[in-house]
């Protein structure tokens, strides 16, 4: 996780890059206030397959690398949740 000192005024989560990916991708998001956040990955039927973050984060820009080398090809959902936020996006793992 990386914090570059930017102080935003709203939540946002970018599309992962690259997408489709094999075997790793980067997820970038912005939180405007310090708080407890989680970033989790789910398979298409809703089963949690990875927890990337589950901790207190400072406000600012954060980047997380996701290594999916142990997962099967397919579509996955990544979800940021925490203090006043719940954002989900799709990504595709192609092996």
């Amino acid at each position: 996780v990386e914090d570059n000192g930017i102080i935003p005024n709203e939540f946002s989560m970018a599309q992962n890059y690259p997408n489709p990916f094999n075997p790793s991708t980067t997820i970038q998001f912005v939180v405007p206030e310090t708080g407890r956040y989680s970033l989790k990955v789910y398979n298409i039927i809703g089963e949690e397959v990875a927890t990337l973050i589950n901790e207190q984060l400072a406000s600012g820009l954060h980047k997380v690398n996701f290594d999916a080398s142990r997962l099967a090809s397919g579509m996955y959902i990544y979800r940021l949740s925490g203090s006043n936020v719940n954002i989900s996006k799709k990504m595709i793992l192609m092996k």
Side-chain angles (χ1 to χ4, degrees):
V1 176
E2 175 184 315
D3 180 1
N4 70 358
I6 295 174
I7 306 209
N9 58 7
E10 65 182 30
F11 292 99
S12 68
M13 185 165 59
Q15 184 64 49
N16 65 301
Y17 60 91
N19 189 35
F21 67 99
N22 177 27
S24 67
T25 188
T26 301
I27 299 170
Q28 181 175 299
F29 60 94
V30 174
V31 294
E33 56 193 52
T34 299
R36 184 159 190 86
Y37 297 95
S38 69
L39 180 61
K40 296 183 178 186
V41 179
Y42 300 88
N43 63 20
I44 201 66
I45 61 172
E47 297 170 328
E48 183 181 322
V49 296
T51 299
L52 305 179
I53 293 176
N54 189 14
E55 62 190 53
Q56 188 82 9
L57 294 177
S59 63
L61 174 68
H62 300 272
K63 292 181 184 179
V64 179
N65 189 48
F66 173 47
D67 180 5
S69 57
R70 64 177 181 80
L71 298 177
S73 295
M75 185 178 298
Y76 292 88
I77 308 295
Y78 56 104
R79 181 178 186 179
L80 175 67
S81 57
S83 303
N84 301 317
V85 66
N86 193 1
I87 303 172
S88 300
K89 293 203 181 255
K90 297 176 189 175
M91 62 183 163
I92 298 173
L93 170 60
M94 293 181 71
K95 289 190 175 185

